[in-house]
Amino acid sequence: MASDNVSRQELANGIRALAMDAVQRANSGHPGAPMGMAEIAEVLWRDYLRHDPTNPEWPDRDRFILSNGHGSMLIYALLHLTGYDLSMEDIKNFRQMHAKTPGHPEYGYTPGVETTTGPLGQGLANAVGMALAERTLGAQFNRPGHTLVDHWTYVFAGDGCLMEGVSHEACSLAGTWGLGKLVVFYDDNGISIDGKVDGWYTEDARKRFESYGWQVIGPIDGHDSDAIKKAIEEARADTSRPTLIDCKTIIGYGAPNVCGTHGVHGAPLGDDEIQATRDFLGWKHAPFEIPKEHYAAWDARPRGGELRKAWESEVEGYRRSAPEMAKEFDRRLAGKLPESWDRLVREGLENFGARTDKVATRKASEQALDYFGPYMPELLGGSADLSGSNNTKWKDCTAIGGAPSDHDGNYIHYGVREFGMTAIANGVSLHGGFTPYTGTFLVFSDYARNAIRMAALMRIRQVMVYTHDSIGLGEDGPTHQPVEHVASLRLIPNLEVWRPADALETLVAWQRGLERADGPVMLALSRQGLPSLERDAAQREAVIRGGYVLHECAGEPEAVVIATGSEVEIALEAAKASKRRVRVVSMPCAEAFAGQDAGYRDSVLPPGVPRVAVEAGSTGLWRGWVGDRGEVVGMDTFGESAPAPELYEHFGLTAKAVADAVDRVAG
């Protein structure tokens, strides 16, 4: 979309000027990628991207993901120029405290930023999730004559994104699923922080993506607007396959002395080089000055408003023809729970609370899904090739695949791709309309850890089902026994880790995961069977608080035993065997309990009463709960390969060991 007054080249140069000026002012940042991808950005954002700067949350907007997030000034420049609530003062405050323009794009900080990017490759994986969510939501709600969901997902990605393993995992699945409305622009500039990548990155990326089943276009000249436009048209013409457009660019284009080198990747250009760049580009404007005719050419608000209003009119027609489906569409986009939720939870607590069977909590998790699932069509979950072990595939699941008949499913076979799975699910969550859940063995959370962290950082909804939670898995041995994992995951801010003791606590953990809108919930679930525990109505209601009194002694307690998961049974046995007055506290989620008011916490853990904690895992964090006077019965070594009962005995995770600890702390 050419402008009558300003050339495409001049508009692209405005991006370059803002990028180099902001990085220079901050004395920190990455000018190279924004300067190298300016022409690609100008063509995409002015000619194709469907968005409304006055309503950044418009559900049917196209999604734009800057996976190479170190080049954040590119998206900030675009958002500012096209009319979002991002002022020139915000641009000047690049990388400053509490600015709308942090060092890497942060979800929730800046209007128009769809996901937090910076850890390379994850933005690309998020985009796969967004594209999957778009297609699945459309398959579930679009009807002949009424199209509510019809948008594209565009990604900028660099060499670093493609080197990261998560891009292999996610892009392989995108090809298998045939996500034809996903377009990735590969900034093929041959440079990374260490220099020219041909010393460590020599694979043929185009052939790699072809082998995934992608349409591959290029290489094209990433500074030729006509070539870029032609490539986008070709990409959009094939909606059966995702597309990679290989754009050959010069990093730091326009900086005459450092362009094409790693020197422009992640450092300010300096005053002399900035002036030389202005001279080379013919950019005669002062720092942070954009002519009004440039703003007029960039302004996306008039077209965006028209597109959004046309969609809103489409939705109104849908409401008239399918009012119940329209109501459900609105509910799901708003992330609201079903109207029957309170009744569903109440009846679930009664039913699961009345159970007397012995069941592994991984199986109880499946039963919780069977219970909640029919009322929650927004559930979109799966497992990393462990469906039968994680028990994530509930009875009414239908698998998603590449064929059109499989597009409206609700279960994902991720294959052995724990990192890609979790990052894709983050993208599904960010897109809206779904509550994603994922599954693998707890020990493999290490593979997914950075995507777990990103879910917590972005405060988005995802339920993570992690089974085989301790040495209780037995003979598979120390490679599969997650001794340290629960403790290390509890260190991630804003992540709730639930380790339930029985079927009821598992149901409540799922309740919390489905209710929580401001962060992910992780379930650490047992392989071995655990007994259903007796509780009264008040205790059932208290489980959601993360910690509660499960067993009370006669009189004032001499000691409190805190336990989680499979070790709650051991704690109860110890209390019965002890000659001391022992209170047993089940603490399925320490984070949820810590968030309760002080009065409640003190009522459960009375100040001054000595404490013993027991958990089949690392002891470190429990020392903060028991204090200097208390003890922790756990393990700070790796496990062994043997039947579970032998392992518990070998590592001293027994009722006798807990009772002995009670005697010592009670004095």
Side-chain angles (χ1 to χ4, degrees), residues 185-250:
F185 296 83
Y186 168 31
D187 184 25
D188 188 3
N189 60 40
I191 297 292
S192 66
I193 291 176
D194 277 359
K196 293 183 178 180
V197 301
D198 57 13
W200 49 85
Y201 185 56
T202 58
E203 67 192 59
D204 189 326
R206 294 187 295 278
K207 288 183 179 178
R208 173 184 146 199
F209 276 78
E210 286 173 357
S211 75
Y212 292 155
W214 287 51
Q215 173 183 211
V216 176
I217 298 171
I220 67 167
D221 182 348
H223 302 295
D224 182 337
S225 298
D226 291 336
I228 296 163
K229 188 174 179 64
K230 180 180 178 182
I232 296 174
E233 290 291 338
E234 187 177 350
R236 289 169 56 93
D238 184 349
T239 56
S240 65
R241 298 177 293 170
T243 298
L244 178 80
I245 302 176
D246 182 355
C247 304
K248 290 288 187 181
T249 64
I250 299 172

Coordinates of all heavy atoms in Angstrom, one line a residue, residues 185-250:
F185 N 8.5 -15.1 8.8 CA 9.5 -14.4 8.0 C 10.9 -14.6 8.7 O 11.1 -14.2 9.8 CB 9.2 -12.9 8.0 CG 7.9 -12.5 7.3 CD1 6.7 -12.6 8.0 CD2 7.9 -12.1 6.0 CE1 5.5 -12.2 7.4 CE2 6.8 -11.7 5.4 CZ 5.6 -11.8 6.1
Y186 N 11.7 -15.4 8.0 CA 13.0 -15.7 8.5 C 14.0 -14.6 8.1 O 14.3 -14.4 7.0 CB 13.4 -17.1 7.9 CG 14.9 -17.5 8.1 CD1 15.6 -17.1 9.2 CD2 15.5 -18.4 7.2 CE1 16.9 -17.5 9.4 CE2 16.8 -18.8 7.4 CZ 17.5 -18.3 8.5 OH 18.8 -18.8 8.6
D187 N 14.5 -13.9 9.2 CA 15.5 -12.9 9.0 C 16.9 -13.5 8.8 O 17.7 -13.7 9.7 CB 15.5 -12.0 10.2 CG 16.5 -10.8 10.0 OD1 16.7 -10.4 8.9 OD2 16.9 -10.2 11.1
D188 N 17.1 -13.9 7.5 CA 18.3 -14.7 7.2 C 19.5 -13.7 6.9 O 19.9 -13.5 5.8 CB 18.0 -15.5 5.9 CG 19.1 -16.5 5.6 OD1 20.1 -16.6 6.3 OD2 18.9 -17.2 4.6
N189 N 20.1 -13.2 8.0 CA 21.2 -12.2 7.8 C 22.5 -12.8 8.1 O 23.5 -12.1 8.0 CB 20.9 -11.0 8.7 CG 20.8 -11.3 10.2 OD1 21.6 -12.1 10.7 ND2 19.9 -10.6 10.9
G190 N 22.6 -14.1 8.5 CA 23.9 -14.7 8.7 C 24.7 -14.3 9.9 O 25.9 -14.6 10.0
I191 N 24.1 -13.5 10.8 CA 24.9 -12.9 11.9 C 24.2 -13.3 13.2 O 23.0 -13.2 13.4 CB 25.0 -11.4 11.8 CG1 25.8 -11.0 10.5 CG2 25.7 -10.8 13.0 CD1 27.3 -11.4 10.6
S192 N 25.0 -13.7 14.2 CA 24.5 -13.7 15.6 C 25.5 -13.0 16.5 O 26.5 -12.4 16.0 CB 24.3 -15.2 16.0 OG 25.5 -15.9 16.1
I193 N 25.3 -13.1 17.8 CA 26.2 -12.3 18.7 C 27.7 -12.6 18.5 O 28.5 -11.7 18.5 CB 25.7 -12.6 20.1 CG1 24.4 -11.9 20.4 CG2 26.8 -12.0 21.1 CD1 23.8 -12.2 21.8
D194 N 28.0 -13.9 18.3 CA 29.4 -14.2 18.2 C 30.0 -13.9 16.8 O 31.2 -14.1 16.6 CB 29.6 -15.7 18.5 CG 29.7 -16.0 19.9 OD1 29.6 -15.1 20.7 OD2 29.8 -17.2 20.3
G195 N 29.2 -13.6 15.8 CA 29.7 -13.2 14.5 C 28.9 -13.9 13.4 O 27.7 -14.2 13.5
K196 N 29.7 -14.3 12.3 CA 29.0 -14.9 11.2 C 28.6 -16.4 11.5 O 29.5 -17.1 12.0 CB 30.0 -14.9 10.0 CG 30.2 -13.5 9.4 CD 31.1 -13.6 8.2 CE 31.3 -12.2 7.6 NZ 32.2 -12.2 6.4
V197 N 27.4 -16.7 11.3 CA 26.9 -18.0 11.8 C 27.4 -19.2 11.0 O 27.2 -20.3 11.4 CB 25.3 -18.0 11.8 CG1 24.8 -16.9 12.7 CG2 24.7 -17.9 10.4
D198 N 28.0 -18.9 9.8 CA 28.5 -20.1 9.0 C 29.5 -20.9 9.7 O 29.9 -21.9 9.2 CB 28.9 -19.6 7.6 CG 30.0 -18.6 7.6 OD1 30.6 -18.4 8.7 OD2 30.3 -18.0 6.6
G199 N 30.0 -20.4 10.9 CA 30.9 -21.3 11.6 C 30.2 -22.2 12.5 O 30.9 -23.2 13.1
W200 N 28.9 -22.1 12.8 CA 28.2 -23.0 13.7 C 26.7 -23.2 13.3 O 26.0 -23.9 13.9 CB 28.2 -22.4 15.1 CG 27.8 -20.9 15.2 CD1 26.6 -20.4 15.3 CD2 28.7 -19.8 15.1 NE1 26.6 -19.1 15.3 CE2 27.9 -18.7 15.2 CE3 30.1 -19.7 15.1 CZ2 28.5 -17.4 15.2 CZ3 30.6 -18.4 15.1 CH2 29.8 -17.3 15.1
Y201 N 26.3 -22.7 12.1 CA 25.0 -22.9 11.7 C 25.0 -23.0 10.2 O 24.9 -22.0 9.4 CB 24.1 -21.7 12.1 CG 22.6 -21.9 11.8 CD1 21.9 -23.0 12.3 CD2 21.9 -21.0 11.1 CE1 20.6 -23.2 12.0 CE2 20.6 -21.1 10.8 CZ 19.9 -22.2 11.2 OH 18.5 -22.4 11.0
T202 N 25.2 -24.3 9.7 CA 25.3 -24.5 8.2 C 24.2 -25.3 7.6 O 24.3 -25.6 6.4 CB 26.7 -25.2 8.0 OG1 26.7 -26.4 8.7 CG2 27.9 -24.3 8.4
E203 N 23.2 -25.7 8.4 CA 22.2 -26.5 7.8 C 21.4 -25.7 6.8 O 21.3 -24.5 6.9 CB 21.2 -27.0 8.9 CG 20.4 -25.9 9.6 CD 19.7 -26.4 10.9 OE1 20.4 -26.9 11.8 OE2 18.5 -26.3 10.9
D204 N 20.7 -26.4 6.0 CA 19.8 -25.8 5.0 C 18.4 -25.6 5.6 O 17.6 -26.6 5.6 CB 19.8 -26.6 3.7 CG 19.1 -25.9 2.5 OD1 18.1 -25.1 2.8 OD2 19.4 -26.2 1.4
A205 N 18.2 -24.4 6.1 CA 16.9 -24.2 6.8 C 15.7 -24.4 5.9 O 14.7 -24.9 6.3 CB 16.9 -22.8 7.4
R206 N 15.9 -24.0 4.6 CA 14.8 -24.2 3.7 C 14.4 -25.6 3.5 O 13.2 -26.0 3.6 CB 15.1 -23.5 2.4 CG 15.3 -22.0 2.5 CD 15.5 -21.4 1.1 NE 16.7 -21.8 0.4 CZ 17.9 -21.3 0.7 NH1 18.0 -20.3 1.6 NH2 18.9 -21.7 0.0
K207 N 15.4 -26.5 3.3 CA 15.1 -27.9 3.2 C 14.5 -28.5 4.5 O 13.7 -29.4 4.5 CB 16.4 -28.7 2.8 CG 16.8 -28.4 1.4 CD 18.0 -29.2 1.0 CE 18.4 -29.0 -0.4 NZ 19.6 -29.8 -0.8
R208 N 15.0 -28.0 5.6 CA 14.5 -28.5 6.9 C 13.0 -28.2 7.0 O 12.2 -29.1 7.4 CB 15.2 -27.8 8.0 CG 14.7 -28.0 9.4 CD 15.5 -27.2 10.4 NE 14.6 -26.8 11.5 CZ 14.9 -25.8 12.3 NH1 16.0 -25.1 12.2 NH2 14.0 -25.5 13.3
F209 N 12.6 -27.0 6.6 CA 11.2 -26.7 6.7 C 10.3 -27.4 5.7 O 9.2 -27.7 5.9 CB 11.0 -25.1 6.7 CG 11.1 -24.5 8.1 CD1 12.4 -24.3 8.6 CD2 10.0 -24.2 8.8 CE1 12.5 -23.7 9.8 CE2 10.2 -23.6 10.1 CZ 11.4 -23.4 10.6
E210 N 10.9 -27.6 4.5 CA 10.2 -28.4 3.5 C 10.0 -29.8 4.0 O 8.9 -30.4 3.8 CB 11.1 -28.5 2.2 CG 11.0 -27.2 1.4 CD 12.0 -27.2 0.2 OE1 12.7 -28.2 0.1 OE2 12.1 -26.2 -0.5
S211 N 10.9 -30.3 4.8 CA 10.8 -31.7 5.3 C 9.7 -31.7 6.4 O 9.1 -32.8 6.6 CB 12.1 -32.2 5.9 OG 12.4 -31.6 7.1
Y212 N 9.4 -30.6 7.0 CA 8.3 -30.5 8.0 C 6.9 -30.5 7.3 O 5.9 -30.6 8.0 CB 8.4 -29.3 8.8 CG 9.5 -29.2 9.8 CD1 10.0 -27.9 10.2 CD2 10.2 -30.3 10.3 CE1 11.0 -27.8 11.1 CE2 11.2 -30.1 11.2 CZ 11.7 -28.9 11.6 OH 12.7 -28.7 12.5
G213 N 6.9 -30.3 6.0 CA 5.7 -30.1 5.3 C 5.2 -28.7 5.1 O 4.1 -28.4 4.8
W214 N 6.2 -27.7 5.2 CA 5.9 -26.3 5.1 C 6.1 -25.9 3.6 O 6.8 -26.5 2.8 CB 6.9 -25.5 5.9 CG 6.6 -25.5 7.4 CD1 6.5 -26.5 8.2 CD2 6.5 -24.3 8.2 NE1 6.3 -26.1 9.5 CE2 6.4 -24.8 9.5 CE3 6.6 -22.9 8.0 CZ2 6.2 -23.9 10.6 CZ3 6.5 -22.1 9.0 CH2 6.3 -22.5 10.3
Q215 N 5.3 -24.9 3.2 CA 5.7 -24.2 2.0 C 6.8 -23.2 2.3 O 6.8 -22.5 3.3 CB 4.4 -23.3 1.5 CG 4.7 -22.4 0.3 CD 3.6 -21.5 0.0 OE1 3.4 -21.2 -1.2 NE2 2.8 -21.1 0.9
V216 N 7.9 -23.3 1.4 CA 9.0 -22.5 1.6 C 9.2 -21.6 0.4 O 9.2 -22.0 -0.7 CB 10.3 -23.3 1.8 CG1 11.5 -22.5 1.9 CG2 10.2 -24.2 3.1
I217 N 9.3 -20.3 0.7 CA 9.5 -19.3 -0.4 C 10.8 -18.6 -0.2 O 11.2 -18.2 0.9 CB 8.3 -18.2 -0.3 CG1 7.0 -18.9 -0.5 CG2 8.5 -17.1 -1.3 CD1 5.8 -18.1 -0.2
G218 N 11.5 -18.4 -1.3 CA 12.8 -17.7 -1.2 C 14.0 -18.6 -1.4 O 13.8 -19.7 -1.8
P219 N 15.1 -18.0 -1.3 CA 15.4 -16.7 -0.6 C 14.9 -15.5 -1.5 O 15.1 -15.5 -2.7 CB 16.9 -16.7 -0.4 CG 17.4 -17.6 -1.4 CD 16.4 -18.6 -1.6
I220 N 14.4 -14.5 -0.8 CA 14.1 -13.2 -1.4 C 15.0 -12.1 -0.9 O 15.6 -12.3 0.2 CB 12.6 -12.9 -1.3 CG1 12.3 -12.5 0.2 CG2 11.7 -14.0 -1.8 CD1 10.9 -11.9 0.4
D221 N 15.0 -11.0 -1.6 CA 15.7 -9.8 -1.1 C 14.8 -9.2 0.0 O 13.8 -8.6 -0.3 CB 16.0 -8.9 -2.2 CG 16.8 -7.6 -1.8 OD1 16.9 -7.4 -0.6 OD2 17.2 -6.9 -2.7
G222 N 15.2 -9.2 1.2 CA 14.4 -8.7 2.3 C 14.4 -7.2 2.4 O 13.8 -6.6 3.3
H223 N 15.1 -6.5 1.4 CA 15.0 -5.0 1.3 C 14.3 -4.6 0.1 O 14.3 -3.4 -0.2 CB 16.5 -4.5 1.4 CG 17.2 -4.9 2.6 ND1 16.9 -4.5 3.8 CD2 18.3 -5.7 2.7 CE1 17.7 -5.0 4.7 NE2 18.6 -5.7 4.1
D224 N 13.7 -5.5 -0.6 CA 13.0 -5.2 -1.9 C 11.5 -5.3 -1.5 O 10.9 -6.4 -1.4 CB 13.4 -6.2 -3.0 CG 12.7 -5.9 -4.3 OD1 11.6 -5.3 -4.3 OD2 13.2 -6.4 -5.3
S225 N 10.8 -4.2 -1.4 CA 9.4 -4.3 -1.0 C 8.5 -5.0 -2.0 O 7.6 -5.7 -1.6 CB 8.9 -2.8 -0.9 OG 9.6 -2.1 0.1
D226 N 8.8 -4.9 -3.3 CA 8.0 -5.7 -4.3 C 8.2 -7.2 -4.1 O 7.2 -7.9 -4.2 CB 8.4 -5.2 -5.7 CG 7.9 -3.8 -6.0 OD1 7.0 -3.3 -5.4 OD2 8.6 -3.2 -6.9
A227 N 9.4 -7.6 -3.8 CA 9.6 -9.0 -3.6 C 9.0 -9.5 -2.4 O 8.4 -10.6 -2.3 CB 11.1 -9.3 -3.6
I228 N 9.0 -8.7 -1.4 CA 8.3 -9.1 -0.1 C 6.8 -9.2 -0.3 O 6.2 -10.2 0.1 CB 8.6 -8.0 1.0 CG1 10.1 -8.0 1.3 CG2 7.8 -8.3 2.3 CD1 10.5 -6.7 2.0
K229 N 6.2 -8.3 -1.0 CA 4.8 -8.3 -1.3 C 4.4 -9.5 -2.1 O 3.4 -10.2 -1.8 CB 4.4 -7.0 -2.0 CG 2.9 -6.8 -2.1 CD 2.5 -5.5 -2.7 CE 1.0 -5.3 -2.9 NZ 0.3 -5.3 -1.6
K230 N 5.2 -9.8 -3.1 CA 4.9 -11.0 -3.9 C 5.0 -12.3 -3.1 O 4.2 -13.2 -3.2 CB 5.9 -11.1 -5.1 CG 5.7 -12.3 -6.0 CD 6.8 -12.3 -7.1 CE 6.6 -13.5 -8.0 NZ 7.7 -13.6 -9.0
A231 N 6.0 -12.4 -2.2 CA 6.1 -13.5 -1.3 C 5.0 -13.7 -0.4 O 4.5 -14.8 -0.1 CB 7.4 -13.4 -0.5
I232 N 4.5 -12.6 0.2 CA 3.3 -12.7 1.1 C 2.1 -13.2 0.3 O 1.3 -14.0 0.8 CB 3.1 -11.3 1.8 CG1 4.3 -11.0 2.7 CG2 1.8 -11.4 2.6 CD1 4.2 -9.6 3.3
E233 N 1.9 -12.7 -0.9 CA 0.8 -13.1 -1.7 C 0.8 -14.6 -1.9 O -0.2 -15.3 -1.9 CB 0.7 -12.3 -3.0 CG 0.4 -10.9 -2.9 CD -1.1 -10.7 -2.5 OE1 -1.9 -11.6 -2.7 OE2 -1.4 -9.6 -2.0
E234 N 2.0 -15.1 -2.3 CA 2.2 -16.5 -2.5 C 2.0 -17.3 -1.2 O 1.3 -18.4 -1.3 CB 3.6 -16.8 -3.0 CG 3.9 -18.2 -3.4 CD 5.3 -18.4 -4.0 OE1 6.0 -17.4 -4.2 OE2 5.7 -19.6 -4.2
A235 N 2.4 -16.8 -0.1 CA 2.2 -17.5 1.2 C 0.7 -17.6 1.5 O 0.2 -18.7 1.9 CB 2.9 -16.7 2.3
R236 N 0.0 -16.5 1.3 CA -1.5 -16.5 1.6 C -2.3 -17.3 0.6 O -3.4 -17.7 0.9 CB -1.9 -15.1 1.7 CG -1.4 -14.3 2.9 CD -1.7 -12.8 2.8 NE -3.1 -12.5 2.6 CZ -3.9 -12.2 3.6 NH1 -3.5 -12.2 4.8 NH2 -5.2 -11.9 3.3
A237 N -1.8 -17.6 -0.5 CA -2.5 -18.4 -1.5 C -2.6 -19.8 -1.2 O -3.5 -20.6 -1.7 CB -1.9 -18.2 -2.9
D238 N -1.7 -20.3 -0.3 CA -1.7 -21.7 0.1 C -2.1 -21.8 1.5 O -1.2 -21.6 2.4 CB -0.3 -22.3 -0.2 CG -0.2 -23.8 0.1 OD1 -1.2 -24.4 0.7 OD2 0.8 -24.5 -0.2
T239 N -3.3 -22.2 1.8 CA -3.8 -22.3 3.2 C -3.7 -23.7 3.7 O -4.3 -24.0 4.8 CB -5.2 -21.7 3.4 OG1 -6.1 -22.4 2.4 CG2 -5.2 -20.2 3.1
S240 N -3.1 -24.6 3.0 CA -3.0 -26.0 3.5 C -1.7 -26.3 4.2 O -1.6 -27.3 4.9 CB -3.1 -26.9 2.3 OG -2.0 -26.8 1.4
R241 N -0.7 -25.3 4.1 CA 0.6 -25.5 4.7 C 1.0 -24.2 5.4 O 0.8 -23.1 4.8 CB 1.6 -25.9 3.7 CG 1.4 -27.2 3.0 CD 2.5 -27.5 1.9 NE 2.4 -26.5 0.8 CZ 3.3 -26.4 -0.1 NH1 4.4 -27.2 -0.1 NH2 3.2 -25.5 -1.1
P242 N 1.7 -24.3 6.5 CA 2.4 -23.1 7.0 C 3.5 -22.7 6.0 O 4.0 -23.5 5.3 CB 2.9 -23.5 8.4 CG 3.1 -25.0 8.3 CD 2.0 -25.5 7.4
T243 N 3.9 -21.4 6.1 CA 4.9 -20.9 5.2 C 6.1 -20.3 5.9 O 5.9 -19.5 6.8 CB 4.2 -19.8 4.3 OG1 3.2 -20.4 3.5 CG2 5.2 -19.2 3.3
L244 N 7.2 -20.6 5.4 CA 8.5 -19.9 5.8 C 8.9 -19.1 4.6 O 9.1 -19.6 3.5 CB 9.6 -20.9 6.1 CG 10.9 -20.3 6.5 CD1 10.9 -19.8 8.0 CD2 12.1 -21.3 6.3
I245 N 9.1 -17.8 4.8 CA 9.6 -16.9 3.8 C 11.1 -16.5 4.2 O 11.3 -15.9 5.2 CB 8.8 -15.6 3.6 CG1 7.4 -15.9 3.3 CG2 9.4 -14.7 2.5 CD1 6.5 -14.7 3.2
D246 N 12.0 -17.0 3.4 CA 13.4 -16.8 3.7 C 13.8 -15.4 3.1 O 13.9 -15.2 1.9 CB 14.3 -17.9 3.0 CG 15.7 -17.8 3.3 OD1 16.2 -16.8 3.9 OD2 16.5 -18.7 2.9
C247 N 14.1 -14.5 4.0 CA 14.4 -13.1 3.6 C 15.8 -12.8 3.9 O 16.3 -12.8 5.0 CB 13.5 -12.1 4.5 SG 11.7 -12.4 4.4
K248 N 16.6 -12.7 2.8 CA 18.0 -12.3 2.9 C 18.1 -10.8 3.3 O 17.6 -10.0 2.5 CB 18.7 -12.6 1.6 CG 18.9 -14.1 1.3 CD 19.9 -14.7 2.3 CE 20.2 -16.2 1.9 NZ 21.2 -16.8 2.8
T249 N 18.7 -10.5 4.4 CA 18.7 -9.1 4.8 C 20.2 -8.8 5.3 O 21.0 -9.7 5.5 CB 17.8 -8.8 6.0 OG1 18.2 -9.6 7.1 CG2 16.3 -9.2 5.6
I250 N 20.4 -7.5 5.4 CA 21.7 -7.1 6.0 C 21.4 -6.5 7.4 O 20.7 -5.5 7.5 CB 22.3 -6.0 5.1 CG1 22.6 -6.5 3.7 CG2 23.6 -5.4 5.7 CD1 23.0 -5.5 2.7

